[in-house]
Amino acid sequence: MATVQKKRKVDGEGRRFQERWELQYFFTEIRGNCVCLICKETVALFKDFNIRRHYETKHAATYNKLTGSERAEKVKQLQAALASQQRFFTRACETHENITKASYEVAMLIAKHGKPFTEGTFVKDCVMKMVENICPEKKQEFLNACLARNTVARRVEDISSDIHRQLRDRGVDFDYFSLACDESTDASDTAQLLIYLRGVDDKMNVTEELLDLKSLKGQTRGMDLFISVCEAVDDMKLPWSKVSGIITDGAPAMAGERSGLSTLICNKVSEEAGNAVKLQCIIHQQPLCAKHLKFDDVMKPVAKTINCIRSKALYHRQFQQFLHDIQAEYGDVIYYNDVRWLSRGSALQRFFSLREEIKQFLDEKGQPMEELSDPVWLANLAFLVDITKHLNALNVNLQGKDAVVSQLYAHIKAFGTKLQLFQRHLSLTEPCTAHFPALKEVIDSFPVDINVQMKRYATAIASLSGEFNKRFQDFAAIEKDMLLFSSPFSVDPDDAPPQLQLELIELQCDDECHGKHRQCSLVDFYRQLDKDRFPEVRSLAKKMLSLFGSTYLCEQTFSVMNLNKNRLRSRMSDSHLRDILRISTTALKPDLIALLKSRSQYHPSH
């Protein structure tokens, strides 16, 4: 049987470039290739015969006459020329890359600051004026940077896509995640559904990002919202079984018992063998509780007077000048807007501080406000100022990003305890007004018997306390889990779920863990907890960390939306609006290096 000869593989022969070929044949090695210094052609193999043949057939007649030092000098000249040529192309490529990267940075700033895409041209004009005066030799490089409207729009799309890719990559590692949803109408009457995601991985890293913005052209029923949320979650390839909860603003389409978005989401999670809790935004419920205070006899005259002063241009100017002339503490009164959370308290506080100035101004205008001379009405006003000040302080504590649901609920419970204290103080035979400075000021100014009013205030506070207890039942339903999460060392193991009891006993008997709990934040404590010893405890911690406590992020993002899509920019596309909101709200840093590497060429306008 004839033997089969193996095919010869030149790559496996271990051929290498020989230094003598530089002087002998004017060749050099560049990135594993044998290149002629004279004509810049490449020889396929590191083989003496091939290189010699190339030299003798193309260059020998001209260069054989060079010998000794002349030949060595010529090699150096050719190598220098080749290096210069390489630097030229490399420098040009680096310049284009830097220009493209800079245009991405500018586009990101334009999106973050809510500027139109056409602002890129304005930015470039400003930069060119600076370059002309500071470094005119760099003028051409800056001129090559393209910041036209279409270019900026493409850059924004690329950055948004990269942020979305990073979020999808992180989503793979989530053990639990929850959703926060809210809907509002933009300047073009399109219903925009914001969907936020809060996920926790095995290392207790919390990610809070905008999942998607869905534009609804038709109806906004619970089922319509549900379909949009499903599309967003499925697009990210997130498993429904890992959904720990959903929070909304409490509107019927969002929180309806039968066909609301929250109910439909929880049902779908149950079908996927998961368990999700349904919550109503803790901040939205707090103003609803505040509205339970029925002091229309105070609010209506105050609102009427403020509107009278500010709605008439001449009155408003004269009032401001009047305050300036008498060197008042404030320079104007504040409009009361029922939609804004802190508006009521701010308007009342300013009105109360300027009550003497307002009374004097209205008397001069022949439109006296009789209530400002009534001690009982002023006492009611002062009580409302004090209680709304406490409510505003609570509202501020509930706002902010990355808030843990147990901490938010702790503020609510603390305020409930404060209300009980206020009620006891005002119900005393000699009422204590230590926590009601405005009311104390009125009582000191008008030494009259207002015990009847004090009973009214105590009753109002008792009613407010009952409203708080009724409103936050959804959070109270998971109070045991929140307590177990925030204070695992103070919980009786008998009160814990069966799957947690043994681990909880182990944890409470571990002095080292107890010390870490006192010294570290909750997230760091659970991050350091042994995975093998306490898997169920860590699982509960991840679930609690993943829950939203409010739709604050949605409200904040709607403000950004109204800044970007307004009556002057009503033609902005829904996709560009989504890209801008994603860039404006993200905590992720776009990977511009990866974006540049993905490009086939570094053309400044592409």
Side-chain angles (χ1 to χ4, degrees):
M1 185 176 179
T3 58
V4 180
Q5 293 184 347
K6 292 184 180 180
K7 188 175 180 180
R8 180 184 177 191
K9 294 184 178 180
V10 178
D11 293 342
E13 294 182 0
R15 296 180 182 272
R16 296 182 179 179
F17 183 81
Q18 299 181 27
E19 294 183 2
R20 63 182 180 84
W21 292 343
E22 286 188 354
L23 193 60
Q24 192 171 355
Y25 303 123
F26 293 94
F27 267 81
T28 189
E29 181 185 12
I30 300 177
R31 297 190 187 94
N33 295 314
C34 203
V35 180
C36 177
L37 289 169
I38 301 171
C39 64
K40 311 301 186 294
E41 288 187 11
T42 302
V43 174
L45 302 176
F46 288 118
K47 192 174 181 181
D48 188 275
F49 173 79
N50 293 12
I51 295 173
R52 185 176 69 250
R53 182 178 61 183
H54 173 88
Y55 173 75
E56 290 180 348
T57 56
K58 295 187 176 184
H59 308 301
T62 304
Y63 289 91
N64 271 344
K65 59 185 179 181
L66 297 177
T67 59
S69 59
E70 292 181 348
R71 196 174 186 87
E73 186 64 29
K74 188 64 178 177
V75 168
K76 291 182 180 179
Q77 291 176 4
L78 292 172
Q79 287 177 332
L82 178 62
S84 176
Q85 186 181 29
Q86 289 175 324
R87 283 196 301 272
F88 174 79
F89 288 109
T90 302
R91 188 163 53 247
C93 184
E94 289 177 351
T95 300
H96 286 157
E97 181 180 355
N98 292 336
I99 291 173
T100 305
K101 184 179 179 182
S103 69
Y104 272 108
E105 297 276 8
V106 173
M108 186 161 59
L109 290 174
I110 289 174
K112 278 191 172 183
H113 289 82
K115 302 298 182 182
F117 295 156
T118 51
E119 287 291 299
T121 305
F122 171 73
V123 171
K124 184 176 179 179
D125 291 342
C126 293
V127 170
M128 289 309 303
K129 290 297 182 182
M130 296 177 65
V131 170
E132 289 174 1
N133 290 279
I134 298 174
C135 49
E137 69 279 1
K138 298 286 186 179
K139 182 177 180 179
Q140 188 56 48
E141 294 183 19
F142 282 91
L143 279 173
N144 290 337
C146 182
L147 293 174
R149 183 181 67 86
N150 289 340
T151 302
V152 172
R154 284 194 296 270
R155 299 286 188 262
V156 169
E157 292 169 2
D158 291 344
I159 294 171
S160 175
S161 297
D162 182 73
I163 294 171
H164 189 257
R165 176 194 60 79
Q166 291 187 50
L167 183 58
R168 184 188 291 113
D169 293 342
R170 288 196 180 194
V172 175
D173 299 325
F174 288 161
D175 289 336
Y176 290 101
F177 69 93
S178 68
L179 302 170
C181 302
D182 202 355
E183 178 262 325
S184 184
T185 304
D186 64 19
S188 62
D189 292 332
T190 300
Q192 303 288 0
L193 174 65
L194 277 175
I195 309 168
Y196 265 89
L197 168 77
R198 181 182 172 97
V200 180
D201 61 19
D202 192 50
K203 296 180 179 178
M204 298 291 172
N205 296 317
V206 180
T207 301
E208 207 173 67
E209 288 289 327
L210 175 63
L211 178 62
D212 210 342
L213 174 74
K214 292 293 184 180
S215 303
L216 306 175
K217 304 297 182 182
Q219 293 179 299
T220 57
R221 301 167 300 178
M223 181 56 69
D224 302 312
L225 303 176
F226 174 69
I227 293 172
S228 297
V229 173
C230 288
E231 289 176 354
V233 173
D234 293 339
D235 179 59
M236 292 291 290
K237 297 180 174 55
L238 295 168
W240 285 97
S241 59
K242 294 183 178 181
V243 177
S244 59
I246 177 170
I247 193 165
T248 61
D249 63 353
M254 291 284 185
E257 287 296 327
R258 293 187 178 181
S259 58
L261 172 63
S262 299
T263 302
L264 295 174
I265 291 292
C266 290
N267 291 342
K268 183 173 181 61
V269 175
S270 298
E271 292 171 2
E272 298 291 333
N275 182 25
V277 296
K278 180 171 60 173
L279 301 173
Q280 183 179 341
C281 173
I282 203 168
I283 303 181
H284 276 85
Q285 293 190 76
Q286 183 263 327
L288 291 175
C289 292
K291 289 182 180 179
H292 190 70
L293 289 171
K294 300 297 183 182
F295 276 78
D296 291 341
D297 58 322
V298 174
M299 284 307 305
K300 286 183 179 179
V302 169
K304 181 181 178 181
T305 302
I306 292 174
N307 292 336
C308 175
I309 293 174
R310 295 206 55 164
S311 62
K312 300 176 182 179
L314 178 60
Y315 263 36
H316 192 201
R317 291 196 301 271
Q318 290 175 340
F319 181 68
Q320 289 177 314
Q321 186 61 44
F322 171 73
L323 294 178
H324 180 267
D325 291 342
I326 64 175
Q327 297 181 348
E329 182 180 1
Y330 299 104
D332 204 353
V333 287
I334 300 175
Y335 264 132
Y336 165 52
N337 189 331
D338 195 43
V339 176
R340 296 179 180 175
W341 291 329
L342 306 179
S343 173
R344 187 187 195 190
S346 300
L348 285 170
Q349 177 66 48
R350 183 66 60 86
F351 186 91
F352 182 79
S353 299
L354 295 173
R355 64 189 184 281
E356 296 295 337
E357 291 82 357
I358 293 172
K359 182 178 183 300
Q360 184 179 347
F361 178 77
L362 293 178
D363 288 343
E364 291 179 1
K365 290 296 181 182
Q367 298 180 357
M369 184 179 178
E370 302 297 337
E371 290 86 351
L372 291 174
S373 301
D374 183 357
V376 174
W377 188 90
L378 286 173
N380 292 340
L381 171 64
F383 169 75
L384 202 57
V385 167
D386 288 328
I387 196 66
T388 52
K389 183 179 180 181
H390 291 300
L391 286 166
N392 278 8
L394 170 63
N395 195 292
V396 171
N397 288 333
L398 297 177
Q399 295 181 33
K401 296 181 64 177
D402 302 318
V404 180
V405 64
S406 59
Q407 295 173 342
L408 296 179
Y409 187 61
H411 288 303
I412 294 295
K413 289 187 65 179
F415 190 77
T417 306
K418 290 178 183 178
L419 289 178
Q420 295 175 11
L421 176 69
F422 298 158
Q423 183 185 356
R424 290 195 302 271
H425 281 190
L426 296 180
S427 300
L428 296 172
T429 306
E430 293 185 6
C432 175
T433 56
H435 304 292
F436 294 84
L439 181 58
K440 185 177 185 302
E441 182 181 342
V442 171
I443 293 175
D444 292 343
S445 301
F446 301 92
V448 295
D449 185 14
I450 57 171
N451 285 333
V452 174
Q453 293 302 111
M454 286 296 182
K455 292 180 180 178
R456 181 192 178 189
Y457 304 151
T459 302
I461 290 177
S463 177
L464 181 61
S465 178
E467 187 70 12
F468 264 78
N469 292 332
K470 183 176 71 174
R471 280 279 177 185
F472 296 97
Q473 290 298 315
D474 49 353
F475 286 91
I478 60 171
E479 183 175 359
K480 288 185 177 180
D481 288 340
M482 289 190 286
L483 180 62
L484 186 56
F485 162 69
S486 59
S487 304
F489 294 93
S490 60
V491 174
D492 189 340
D494 287 335
D495 296 333
Q499 70 273 17
L500 288 170
Q501 290 175 347
L502 298 182
E503 291 185 15
L504 192 59
I505 293 172
E506 278 288 324
L507 183 65
Q508 292 177 351
C509 294
D510 193 318
D511 292 337
E512 183 180 354
C513 290
H514 205 166
K516 289 180 179 179
H517 184 262
R518 289 196 299 265
Q519 296 172 1
C520 303
S521 65
L522 273 177
V523 177
D524 289 336
F525 167 71
Y526 284 108
R527 188 176 286 140
Q528 297 175 29
L529 212 57
D530 191 284
K531 298 179 182 179
D532 298 325
R533 288 181 63 194
F534 308 105
E536 292 296 335
V537 172
R538 293 184 85 254
S539 179
L540 174 68
K542 285 183 281 189
K543 189 171 185 178
M544 289 295 104
L545 282 173
S546 69
L547 289 177
F548 278 104
S550 72
T551 58
Y552 173 79
L553 286 176
C554 296
E555 297 292 340
Q556 191 180 46
T557 306
F558 280 135
S559 298
V560 179
M561 181 187 77
N562 293 332
L563 175 65
N564 283 274
K565 192 169 184 178
N566 49 48
R567 62 184 182 85
L568 300 177
R569 298 175 67 189
S570 59
R571 295 182 63 186
M572 177 186 290
S573 68
D574 294 327
S575 61
H576 281 154
L577 177 61
R578 179 198 61 209
D579 295 336
I580 289 173
L581 294 184
R582 180 171 283 143
I583 294 171
S584 300
T585 59
T586 186
L588 302 175
K589 188 175 182 180
D591 190 351
L592 298 184
I593 303 300
L595 282 175
L596 292 172
K597 287 182 178 178
S598 66
R599 305 176 64 84
S600 58
Q601 59 176 344
Y602 293 118
H603 196 286
S605 64
H606 292 84

